Amino acid sequence: MGREREIEEIARRLEEEHVLFLQGMGGIGKSEIAKGYARDYRDRYDTILFASYTSDLAELVCALPIENLRRAEDEEQEAWFRRKLQAFHTLATERTLLIIDNFDIDDDPHLEEVLNTACHILFTTRNDHSDHPTLPVGQIEDFDAVRRIFAAHYGRPLKGGEQAAVDEMLRLVGCHTITVELIAKQMKASFLKPEQMLHRLRETGLNTHLREKVKREGAADKLTSFDYIRELFCFSGLSESETHLLCCMCLVPVSGIGVGLLGELLELEDYDGVNALLGKSWLMLDEEDDTLRLHPVIADVVRSHLSPTPLTCQDYVRGLGAKVLPFWHMETAERERIYPLVVRILEDFPQPTEELFTAYNRFSNCAWICSDFDRARRSAKRIYDFAMETFGPGTAEAGTAAMTVAAAYHNAGDFTASEPWYALSLEHRKKVLDPHDRELAISYTKVARCALFRGDHAAAQENFDRAKAIFAYILEHRTCEPEDAYPYYYGLVLMEEARLFMAQGRYEEALAQSRQSYEVLMACYERDKGDLHFPLVDMGKCCSALGQYDEAEEYLRRARALDEELMGPKCLTALETREAMADNTLRRGDRERARQLYSEMEVELEGDFGPDTPTVRRLREKREAAERAD
């Protein structure tokens, strides 16, 4: 309401300059103006993207939804950003609109690179970017429109002289949009009459002039919007549970969190507190996808008064830590829904605490599972240093943290760097754990896998034997829980050892071992589905090597169906399965079909990953070898 002039100005300026910063104080309505422009000028664009700025533009670009473009298995964040940005520049035209919301920062190292595009880019910001095309956003000039905004949120008819009191309130707060909304909702929820609310506002001593000074990063002066909302917050009469909900929402990224997910993490018995905060406009709800958000200015106020931290919001952080425990086995869409919550904590509150050590360790693992390898390594090393300082060497915590660092390196493809960390984890654990502890068996398995990678088959077999001996003891003495009669990790040990047999050319033994691994993992299927792919593919490879081509095809077909069910047809495990199917086709003598399969994958992955990644090079070499054989 009342922003028609600004929307028309945006339309004119973007046609001339293709980039525009909507600059104004928090809560003045910048985001709604941007959305209003996108709605009113929808026909001008083929594609409209709305993205909330969180940590930096590189992360924002990497999250843009570009079809048929995937992150390579060992691709670092910076390289992925460069490739994604290049793809965006190639695809984006003047009929593409990118809205970057809450760009509340003075500068970003990638700003100029992002701006160097043909598309229209519209920023909303509280900060000064006058060296770029800027449209200042002030209060709504049409006073009747401000009245309508108040009436829409108050929802009750005004009587007698109440309109005069409302008008004075609106002028008192400078017609500041979100403050007007909060006042109206506060009055409605608390049954305050306009005269009563006006009296309260006067008591706060609010001045009647908005300071149009632009917020600078780290500036001591707050915007007037902060002052207004702070005073409303102080006499809002929020309950303890409601203020705690607001504190927890301060740990959520500006993109928000699903209502159901928040309830799950906090174990809410009901949504009365959430509904109360929505009714008073302290929380915002996107009804299209039931996403809860906290306005950045309101978050500033809550942080100023209550100083929320992971320790004061332990229930939220512990709930998130429990939610990500099966992260490796989640479907991609579920990971993408949850991982931004993890990133917000790791970025804004990077230092672990003793009480939340387990949750932080799991958050670091989430990073490498999402191929966020730089953040995974940084976080894991910080956790290890904390564990050594807080718990000391030779502790279970130090062993767990060292394992996390190792996983961050291993899954980034740096097997050499991962091995000493796996060995260190084993040494810590040997000093504190029972000789028959399952975690010790896991460490032996990881060390064995490292030895296998560097070709030391004797050392690999020695450590696999140690791991299997521990599981044999667990099974014999029933030291595991009843539902773990076939421990999931025992199946992984068998799977890893089968690969040692394959590396030695012992395919019949490897096939038998892979089948046993599959049976053990299948017993845990309802809880852990994700790893069933691996023994199926291994069985397919073994059968193919033994000349059992039909059996190999069947195993690989089942693996591919499982990949698509859990992770989608474009997941990395599906690539491994498809390559194994092409290898099997070549072994059975159908070179033309194999060449075709290699070529299809090569073209697809070259577009997704670029022309010079290890996977693409390997497929190219296989395709060329098949052609030479013809």
Side-chain angles (χ1 to χ4, degrees), residues 464-533:
F464 281 136
D465 288 342
R466 289 171 176 166
K468 289 196 301 180
I470 292 174
F471 279 112
Y473 180 92
I474 291 174
L475 291 171
E476 180 182 353
H477 294 84
R478 298 297 180 189
T479 60
C480 55
E481 295 297 323
E483 63 269 22
D484 286 337
Y486 293 97
Y488 165 74
Y489 286 103
Y490 178 51
L492 298 186
V493 176
L494 296 175
M495 180 186 75
E496 298 280 5
E497 189 180 35
R499 292 176 176 179
L500 170 62
F501 296 159
M502 292 169 68
Q504 295 171 328
R506 299 156 58 187
Y507 290 108
E508 290 186 356
E509 293 172 79
L511 178 59
Q513 184 91 325
S514 296
R515 284 172 173 159
Q516 187 180 357
S517 169
Y518 179 80
E519 290 174 3
V520 174
L521 293 176
M522 191 64 189
C524 308
Y525 179 74
E526 290 304 320
R527 186 185 59 194
D528 297 301
K529 302 179 181 181
D531 286 315
L532 272 178
H533 150 92

Side-chain angles (χ1 to χ4, degrees), residues 164-308:
V166 168
D167 288 351
E168 187 171 347
M169 279 190 292
L170 301 183
R171 293 189 174 96
L172 183 64
V173 298
C175 297
H176 183 258
T177 314
I178 195 173
T179 309
V180 170
E181 178 181 336
L182 284 166
I183 289 172
K185 290 288 189 73
Q186 188 77 14
M187 288 172 56
K188 182 178 180 180
S190 58
F191 298 98
L192 286 173
K193 298 296 183 183
E195 293 83 358
Q196 295 171 304
M197 178 60 82
L198 177 60
H199 177 70
R200 289 193 176 189
L201 292 174
R202 283 171 174 163
E203 284 184 333
T204 67
L206 293 176
N207 67 64
T208 58
H209 301 288
L210 286 174
R211 295 197 301 274
E212 289 295 341
K213 180 178 178 181
V214 176
K215 176 186 175 185
R216 300 297 298 184
E217 192 70 13
D221 291 339
K222 296 287 186 180
L223 292 171
T224 306
S225 58
F226 176 92
D227 299 328
Y228 294 158
I229 295 171
R230 177 188 61 195
E231 297 303 332
L232 287 171
F233 185 79
C234 289
F235 64 72
S236 60
L238 298 177
S239 68
E240 183 178 344
S241 62
E242 289 169 350
T243 56
H244 181 66
L245 276 169
L246 290 176
C247 284
C248 291
M249 286 297 296
C250 285
L251 272 61
V252 172
V254 293
S255 54
I257 183 173
V259 177
L261 179 57
L262 180 68
E264 180 183 346
L265 300 185
L266 294 177
E267 298 183 347
L268 298 178
E269 294 182 0
D270 55 56
Y271 288 91
D272 292 349
V274 172
N275 288 325
L277 291 170
L278 288 171
K280 301 169 187 175
S281 281
W282 293 111
L283 284 178
M284 302 180 294
L285 177 67
D286 186 337
E287 296 186 356
E288 288 188 9
D289 56 6
D290 286 336
T291 297
L292 281 175
R293 294 182 177 86
L294 188 64
H295 192 283
V297 179
I298 294 177
D300 287 346
V301 170
V302 175
R303 281 191 286 263
S304 173
H305 277 266
L306 302 176
S307 301

Side-chain angles (χ1 to χ4, degrees), residues 6-170:
E6 287 89 342
I7 289 175
E8 290 176 2
E9 181 70 5
I10 292 170
R12 184 184 67 81
R13 296 282 296 274
L14 282 179
E15 280 290 283
E16 295 175 353
E17 299 162 316
H18 94 85
V19 171
L20 186 63
F21 286 77
L22 295 185
Q23 178 271 310
M25 64 179 61
I28 203 68
K30 302 181 297 297
S31 300
E32 294 307 315
I33 294 173
K35 293 175 185 176
Y37 168 74
R39 179 196 63 235
D40 290 356
Y41 287 84
R42 179 69 184 87
D43 292 342
R44 178 181 279 186
Y45 301 103
D46 298 321
T47 303
I48 297 178
L49 299 167
F50 187 96
S52 294
Y53 183 88
T54 51
S55 58
D56 56 47
L57 284 174
E59 196 158 285
L60 183 146
V61 168
C62 289
L64 290 177
I66 299 178
E67 290 185 359
N68 300 320
L69 192 71
R70 288 173 285 173
R71 187 172 184 168
E73 194 166 1
D74 57 352
E75 191 169 21
E76 294 288 356
Q77 180 81 359
E78 181 66 17
W80 173 226
F81 160 69
R82 297 284 169 197
R83 196 158 60 84
K84 194 80 175 279
L85 183 63
Q86 179 59 46
F88 179 72
H89 285 338
T90 301
L91 293 169
T93 71
E94 67 278 357
R95 291 189 59 81
T96 303
L97 172 64
L98 172 61
I99 300 174
I100 299 179
D101 197 32
N102 297 315
F103 190 68
D104 298 330
I105 192 169
D106 285 346
D107 196 16
D108 184 286
H110 300 294
L111 177 58
E112 295 303 324
E113 298 172 88
V114 172
L115 295 183
N116 185 26
T117 179
C119 78
H120 290 181
I121 305 182
L122 184 60
F123 290 86
T124 71
T125 179
R126 288 191 272 172
N127 293 52
D128 180 10
H129 292 280
S130 53
D131 47 343
H132 295 286
T134 300
L135 176 61
V137 177
Q139 68 185 63
I140 296 176
E141 295 175 354
D142 182 353
F143 192 70
D144 284 338
V146 182
R147 283 175 165 174
R148 292 197 300 273
I149 291 172
F150 175 88
H153 292 295
Y154 186 49
R156 294 174 180 167
L158 296 174
K159 302 175 183 177
E162 290 182 337
Q163 184 64 62
V166 168
D167 288 351
E168 187 171 347
M169 279 190 292
L170 301 183

Side-chain angles (χ1 to χ4, degrees), residues 265-517:
L265 300 185
L266 294 177
E267 298 183 347
L268 298 178
E269 294 182 0
D270 55 56
Y271 288 91
D272 292 349
V274 172
N275 288 325
L277 291 170
L278 288 171
K280 301 169 187 175
S281 281
W282 293 111
L283 284 178
M284 302 180 294
L285 177 67
D286 186 337
E287 296 186 356
E288 288 188 9
D289 56 6
D290 286 336
T291 297
L292 281 175
R293 294 182 177 86
L294 188 64
H295 192 283
V297 179
I298 294 177
D300 287 346
V301 170
V302 175
R303 281 191 286 263
S304 173
H305 277 266
L306 302 176
S307 301
T309 67
L311 274 179
T312 61
C313 301
Q314 285 192 50
D315 52 346
Y316 171 78
V317 179
R318 290 183 189 277
L320 184 58
K323 181 69 177 178
V324 302
L325 179 59
F327 205 65
W328 173 253
H329 304 288
M330 287 182 184
E331 296 183 13
T332 302
E334 182 73 355
R335 289 182 188 170
E336 292 175 349
R337 183 172 72 109
I338 294 172
Y339 187 55
L341 308 179
V342 171
V343 170
R344 180 62 181 264
I345 291 176
L346 291 180
E347 285 298 304
D348 289 4
F349 304 95
Q351 188 58 29
T353 66
E354 186 172 350
E355 298 86 346
L356 299 172
F357 173 80
T358 298
Y360 268 78
N361 194 71
R362 290 174 183 170
F363 296 158
S364 182
N365 284 326
C366 290
W368 64 255
I369 291 172
C370 288
S371 300
D372 194 352
F373 301 120
D374 291 335
R375 181 176 282 116
R377 286 190 291 263
R378 290 196 309 271
S379 174
K381 288 180 179 178
R382 189 181 297 116
I383 290 168
Y384 180 74
D385 291 342
F386 175 82
M388 290 292 286
E389 180 180 343
T390 306
F391 304 106
T395 60
E397 291 82 2
T400 297
M403 179 75 76
T404 301
V405 180
Y409 278 109
H410 174 84
N411 289 281
D414 193 343
F415 304 135
T416 301
S418 71
E419 183 166 9
W421 286 101
Y422 280 128
L424 185 60
S425 174
L426 176 59
E427 290 307 310
H428 284 305
R429 287 176 163 179
K430 284 167 65 176
K431 293 177 181 177
V432 66
L433 296 180
D434 182 273
H436 303 110
D437 192 289
R438 187 187 69 180
E439 294 300 314
L440 203 57
I442 294 171
S443 281
Y444 279 122
T445 303
K446 303 298 185 184
V447 171
R449 184 175 62 184
C450 290
L452 174 58
F453 278 135
R454 58 181 167 80
D456 189 344
H457 293 175
Q461 187 63 71
E462 181 181 353
N463 284 287
F464 281 136
D465 288 342
R466 289 171 176 166
K468 289 196 301 180
I470 292 174
F471 279 112
Y473 180 92
I474 291 174
L475 291 171
E476 180 182 353
H477 294 84
R478 298 297 180 189
T479 60
C480 55
E481 295 297 323
E483 63 269 22
D484 286 337
Y486 293 97
Y488 165 74
Y489 286 103
Y490 178 51
L492 298 186
V493 176
L494 296 175
M495 180 186 75
E496 298 280 5
E497 189 180 35
R499 292 176 176 179
L500 170 62
F501 296 159
M502 292 169 68
Q504 295 171 328
R506 299 156 58 187
Y507 290 108
E508 290 186 356
E509 293 172 79
L511 178 59
Q513 184 91 325
S514 296
R515 284 172 173 159
Q516 187 180 357
S517 169

